[in-house]
Amino acid sequence: MAKWIRRLLASVLVLGALATGAFVLYVGLPAHSVPDLEPVDRYVYLNQGWTESVDSPGRQTYYYTGQGATLPQGATHDALRYDWFVHLEMPLGKKRFADPDHMRAWRFLVDPEPTAANPHQLPVGFARHFEPTVGEYMLDLTCAACHSGEIHYKRDGEHLAVRIDGGQAMHDFAGVERGSFASTLLASLISTRYNPMKFDRFGRNVIGDSYPQGKTELKRNLSATIKRLMSSGQNNPLRHLYPVEEGYGRTDALSRIANTVFGDHLVAANYQVGDAPVSYPYVWNIWKFDWVQYNGSVRQPLSRNIGESLGVGARVLLTDDYGRPLPPEQRFSSSTSIPNLQTIEHTLQTLQPPRWPEAVFGDVDADNAEAGKALFEQHCQGCHGPHVASPARQQANAPGKPSASMEWLIEVIPVEHIGTDPAAATGFVERRYDLTPTGLTQREVAAALRPLNVRYLSREMRYHLSELIDLRAKGGHAVGALSDVLQHYPNPDTARDIELPRRSFAAIDSALDELSVAQTQHSRQNPPDAQRSCDQACHEQWLRWHIQFGEQHLEDSLAAIDVSSVSEGEGLNILGIMIKQKYYRDNNISYAQQTCLEGFGTIDLPQQVAGYKPRPLEGVWATPPFLHNGSVPSLYEMLLPPEQRTRRFFVGRRDFDPVHVGYVTEPSARGEGGFWLDTSIAGNRNTGHAFSATANEWAERHDQPLPPGVIGPLLSDKERWSLVEYLKVHRDAAPTNVNYTPHDCLSGDRDTLTVARSN
């Protein structure tokens, strides 16, 4: 008997030690490791089209419109309720977990006062949506949580926080190290569940006067949420899915979206290593781009936004609880709120790039900036543009846009040319995922993609025909029957399901044959314009090849799709199309409304290029650190040869350096949270985009062509400072008309394709 008693006591001691260890690990350490708060005396809101008031409608709509996401990702009954988050206490005390100063310490943005849209003063991007299957409001994360920035600066003894709407966040939302947001949230949930006094306070706040009624159910739900958080597949440290520290202001965005969608929501075998953290891109004017994802992989705004919502926690039904395919009519239901995504997207279309606030950061040297403008036009504008589309190209890309001035062409620069860290680009192209557990077949995928491919081919035929006619007319050449063919070319955008206009293709081919004889005679008598002749030949060659082989190439491409091994771009594209089609069917959305919702009639087909897009640079001063992975701390260092850039610097401090134009790169005496970004690590490289030499200079020095990553001559220090000064005031183009009003796609005339107007 005594032996059993000793064993029992030993077991109790072991269990007690384990419980104590677990408490210290999951509650004590996180509670005592929260970063220090950055001092702020006054908040400054720039007028980026939304006035300088914190409660302007545009700002509040963007900040707090829910999109159907939950925490943990994709959860329903075990998701974190909005009221829980509001009333949750810190692990070792009574102070609210969501206290504004706690959230600011984790580098979330919190407005100085509550507003009607944010009565509990939660961080920017923390919203709510009602979940009817549960009967409660869920905590909802929106794109504003990551695509809003803040710059701190001390002027005349006053600590200022300058809000950059649409800019880059500085938080470490996904980090799970001690003291991080995620680990402390888990600690708060655990201590609330198992500390009776803490739970009673929590229960009375959440349930209200009827408490303790519902107490048992609340405990059960809280336990389920804790279990779901602790069992998150992609954040399991044993999987080592994110070996490169993301840190403050970065995340491996596309990898996390794919791991959430194809791993968490589908099968664990789809989890892939993400070793390429990127900075959150700024989003002003992005609606004007022809490629709207940061790596140039997505053309359609709604497709990008659905992928983003899934990445931060929107639910999508892919299989049943046993991993079996759902009935076809039930597949691809999603909690993503497409109407709210429309609201957010249209609100962002009214957002302007931030202007350098001289009252905060000091005056711009006008003479130096003027010298920098000439250098920018010589060395930078060729890549960064903006390059405004021709009317014909705009009609092919986005026929719903009011004018070509709203369609900017963005070229994706291959990694072997730009020379920057290739991890994000190559990983996106090389990773593969299995969609067969959903029950999808190659035939179903081909049927969904075929109408989009047919419409794309038909639009491109019309575009090249239009450009060829225009070039010939400008060169004084006859256009023959081509003009008549274009006039009667059928509109490929009148219905969802279309067929290739084969008669028009044949008519184009015949007209080209007739013109080729006349062109030969004309060229004998007139010296050709070399560039125009080359452009004409390119358009004619494109037309002839696609008339002969385009349809077969389309079918071959569809037949080659392997549903068991799709790339990241293909998989997200297919899933997005299926989610949209399910929503359209369930809600009786007309074809005209569909094209409006999707973004100006843009076709949802992906592009897969291992490269990065050199986006327009208005407002870039407000978005440090630089390069896609945040590996260069200032604009000044962007103009240095890579070997002269800082190799290791501190990230997490938002104090601004208006001279070099970047954040201060050393921790302060306060010891605020952050991490040291080491550019010697693959994924963090600060190589490429080098102003080191011209082609002739390099050949003279090294007797070989320019290596990857060298894009311009070695600049003098004076030239660098002139460019930095100019980038403070650079304007991409005339701002959007203040009277521009996006069309509400879900109201009004259901059969109208017009999606925007400019008064």
Side-chain angles (χ1 to χ4, degrees):
M1 185 69 178
K3 181 179 179 181
W4 284 106
I5 292 175
R6 287 195 298 271
R7 287 182 177 178
L8 179 61
L9 289 173
S11 298
V12 169
L13 289 173
V14 169
L15 290 174
L18 290 174
T20 301
F23 179 85
V24 171
L25 179 64
Y26 289 109
V27 178
L29 291 178
H32 288 296
S33 304
V34 177
D36 285 346
L37 183 66
E38 297 172 301
V40 174
D41 298 317
R42 180 164 62 92
Y43 290 87
V44 177
Y45 294 84
L46 303 180
N47 186 357
Q48 296 178 239
W50 295 343
T51 78
E52 297 175 5
S53 171
V54 63
D55 58 357
S56 72
R59 187 167 281 119
Q60 292 292 298
T61 298
Y62 175 56
Y63 287 178
Y64 306 116
T65 298
Q67 57 183 2
T70 59
L71 187 70
Q73 285 95 335
T76 305
H77 289 81
D78 46 3
L80 183 63
R81 276 61 160 175
Y82 177 86
D83 282 345
W84 295 4
F85 188 76
V86 168
H87 296 296
L88 200 63
E89 295 177 350
M90 287 294 285
L92 300 177
K94 296 182 180 180
K95 196 168 186 179
R96 280 200 312 139
F97 175 87
D99 178 88
D101 281 349
H102 281 157
M103 304 309 291
R104 292 181 183 119
W106 284 306
R107 303 301 180 264
F108 294 105
L109 307 183
V110 185
D111 291 324
E113 300 292 339
T115 62
N118 183 29
H120 297 101
Q121 205 179 353
L122 297 186
V124 168
F126 282 57
R128 67 177 187 173
H129 73 266
F130 189 75
E131 176 54 60
T133 62
V134 178
E136 295 185 68
Y137 282 100
M138 300 297 174
L139 183 69
D140 195 319
L141 297 176
T142 84
C143 52
C146 296
H147 299 284
S148 303
E150 195 168 272
I151 289 174
H152 292 187
Y153 189 66
K154 187 176 182 180
R155 185 179 180 90
D156 299 330
E158 185 180 29
H159 293 277
L160 303 175
V162 180
R163 184 66 51 85
I164 308 295
D165 288 318
Q168 297 178 197
M170 183 53 86
H171 55 65
D172 181 14
F173 181 80
V176 293
E177 64 279 357
R178 68 182 187 185
S180 68
F181 168 80
S183 66
T184 310
L185 174 62
L186 179 60
S188 291
L189 290 167
I190 292 172
S191 62
T192 297
R193 170 61 181 83
Y194 294 104
N195 182 326
M197 291 184 291
K198 189 179 286 290
F199 182 84
D200 277 343
R201 291 193 298 271
F202 176 75
R204 293 181 190 282
N205 285 324
V206 169
I207 296 176
D209 293 339
S210 61
Y211 186 83
Q213 183 179 344
K215 177 178 179 179
T216 300
E217 187 67 18
L218 179 60
K219 280 189 175 181
R220 185 182 299 117
N221 292 338
L222 197 57
S223 296
T225 299
I226 293 169
K227 180 180 178 181
R228 180 68 177 266
L229 282 168
M230 295 185 70
S231 62
S232 174
Q234 65 172 301
N235 289 321
N236 184 338
L238 298 179
R239 293 187 186 275
H240 304 291
L241 292 180
Y242 305 102
V244 179
E245 184 177 4
E246 293 164 302
Y248 282 69
R250 304 195 310 170
T251 189
D252 194 331
L254 291 175
S255 177
R256 282 193 175 273
I257 289 174
N259 279 335
T260 298
V261 174
F262 305 126
D264 292 346
H265 293 337
L266 197 52
V267 290
N270 276 332
Y271 286 126
Q272 300 282 330
V273 172
D275 55 3
V278 297
S279 294
Y280 301 105
Y282 51 99
V283 296
W284 48 80
N285 281 339
I286 196 171
W287 63 280
K288 298 180 182 179
F289 299 177
D290 61 340
W291 292 101
V292 296
Q293 182 63 283
Y294 83 90
N295 67 343
S297 62
V298 181
R299 188 185 293 276
Q300 188 187 96
L302 181 57
S303 177
R304 177 204 60 206
N305 294 342
I306 287 175
E308 176 271 330
S309 70
L310 294 174
V312 297
R315 186 179 68 259
V316 59
L317 297 183
L318 300 179
T319 64
D320 67 13
D321 290 343
Y322 306 102
R324 300 175 302 183
L326 294 165
E329 66 276 8
Q330 300 299 325
R331 286 185 307 199
F332 308 115
S333 291
S334 175
S335 65
T336 296
S337 173
I338 288 181
N340 282 9
L341 291 183
Q342 174 196 233
T343 297
I344 295 169
E345 178 70 20
H346 287 179
T347 301
L348 281 174
Q349 290 174 16
T350 67
L351 177 66
Q352 303 291 339
R355 300 291 178 91
W356 178 272
E358 292 187 329
V360 177
F361 300 134
D363 295 342
V364 172
D365 184 330
D367 292 338
N368 209 13
E370 188 63 26
K373 180 179 180 181
L375 291 166
F376 180 89
E377 292 172 351
Q378 181 181 0
H379 300 302
C380 310
Q381 196 159 25
C383 284
H384 289 282
H387 306 293
V388 177
S390 68
R393 173 45 71 193
Q394 177 254 314
Q395 284 297 307
N397 288 357
K401 286 187 176 178
S403 70
S405 66
M406 293 185 177
E407 179 74 355
W408 295 357
L409 306 181
I410 307 295
E411 180 185 7
V412 178
I413 308 297
V415 292
E416 58 266 22
H417 173 63
I418 195 62
T420 51
D421 191 295
T426 55
F428 178 78
V429 173
E430 294 173 357
R431 288 188 287 261
R432 290 293 182 270
Y433 303 90
D434 182 6
L435 301 187
T436 57
T438 65
L440 269 178
T441 65
Q442 189 277 336
R443 178 173 294 185
E444 288 177 298
V445 172
L449 293 176
R450 184 173 288 104
L452 304 176
N453 281 272
V454 169
R455 178 170 290 105
Y456 174 78
L457 177 56
S458 185
R459 281 190 189 179
E460 287 297 298
M461 291 292 292
R462 185 171 60 178
Y463 160 71
H464 286 281
L465 174 60
S466 177
E467 291 290 273
L468 178 60
I469 291 171
D470 185 58
L471 284 168
R472 290 187 65 85
K474 288 178 178 177
H477 301 161
V479 297
L482 289 178
S483 182
D484 185 63
V485 175
L486 179 61
Q487 183 178 355
H488 294 93
Y489 192 95
N491 185 347
D493 298 306
T494 56
R496 179 187 180 276
D497 296 309
I498 67 168
E499 294 183 357
L500 285 173
R502 296 181 180 86
R503 289 185 179 180
S504 294
F505 287 11
I508 294 171
D509 199 32
S510 176
L512 290 174
D513 286 340
E514 293 176 6
L515 287 175
S516 62
V517 176
Q519 180 64 40
T520 301
Q521 296 174 347
H522 183 276
S523 298
R524 289 172 183 164
Q525 303 169 6
N526 302 277
D529 179 323
Q531 183 59 51
R532 185 173 286 128
S533 297
C534 180
D535 291 343
Q536 288 184 44
C538 288
H539 288 296
E540 182 175 343
Q541 184 180 15
W542 193 98
L543 287 165
R544 286 190 180 278
W545 192 93
H546 283 84
I547 288 169
Q548 184 175 0
F549 303 111
E551 186 172 5
Q552 186 59 50
H553 177 69
L554 185 158
E555 293 301 326
D556 289 345
S557 299
L558 293 175
I561 296 173
D562 181 358
V563 184
S564 68
S565 181
V566 295
S567 69
E568 200 164 307
E570 290 170 336
L572 292 173
N573 174 246
I574 291 167
L575 186 59
I577 289 171
M578 298 301 180
I579 290 172
K580 286 183 292 185
Q581 290 184 357
K582 170 69 171 170
Y583 173 79
Y584 296 154
R585 289 194 302 270
D586 289 351
N587 293 277
N588 192 30
I589 305 298
S590 73
Y591 173 70
Q593 289 176 307
Q594 294 174 30
T595 59
C596 176
L597 282 169
E598 290 171 348
F600 309 107
T602 308
I603 296 174
D604 184 11
L605 290 174
Q607 173 177 255
Q608 298 186 86
V609 178
Y612 304 107
K613 67 182 188 185
R615 61 173 299 155
L617 294 179
E618 183 173 358
V620 68
W621 64 266
T623 65
F626 301 100
L627 286 185
H628 72 278
N629 59 355
S631 62
V632 179
S634 69
L635 284 181
Y636 175 77
E637 288 204 19
M638 280 295 299
L639 303 172
L640 290 173
E643 61 272 15
Q644 296 180 29
R645 294 170 183 163
T646 303
R647 297 190 177 186
R648 184 174 182 269
F649 59 95
F650 186 79
V651 180
R653 183 179 177 185
R654 290 183 289 197
D655 292 312
F656 192 58
D657 173 1
V659 177
H660 295 84
V661 185
Y663 288 123
V664 175
T665 57
E666 295 287 337
S668 72
R670 296 189 303 270
E672 61 269 281
F675 82 113
W676 288 92
L677 195 155
D678 184 350
T679 65
S680 69
I681 298 172
N684 291 347
R685 307 285 192 201
N686 63 0
T687 55
H689 197 277
F691 286 96
S692 300
T694 65
N696 290 336
E697 290 169 343
W698 193 270
E700 289 177 4
R701 272 190 254 159
H702 304 281
D703 194 25
Q704 61 184 17
L706 281 175
V710 178
I711 63 168
L714 182 66
L715 301 171
S716 69
D717 219 38
K718 181 178 180 181
E719 289 174 322
R720 294 184 190 116
W721 288 119
S722 294
L723 273 168
V724 168
E725 201 70 9
Y726 172 66
L727 287 171
K728 297 175 181 179
V729 297
H730 168 71
R731 304 286 178 266
D732 285 330
T736 305
N737 190 320
V738 294
N739 294 318
Y740 169 76
T741 306
H743 182 70
D744 184 351
C745 304
L746 295 175
S747 66
D749 187 352
R750 291 170 51 83
D751 299 317
T752 300
L753 186 59
T754 302
V755 296
R757 64 181 184 274
S758 183
N759 298 323

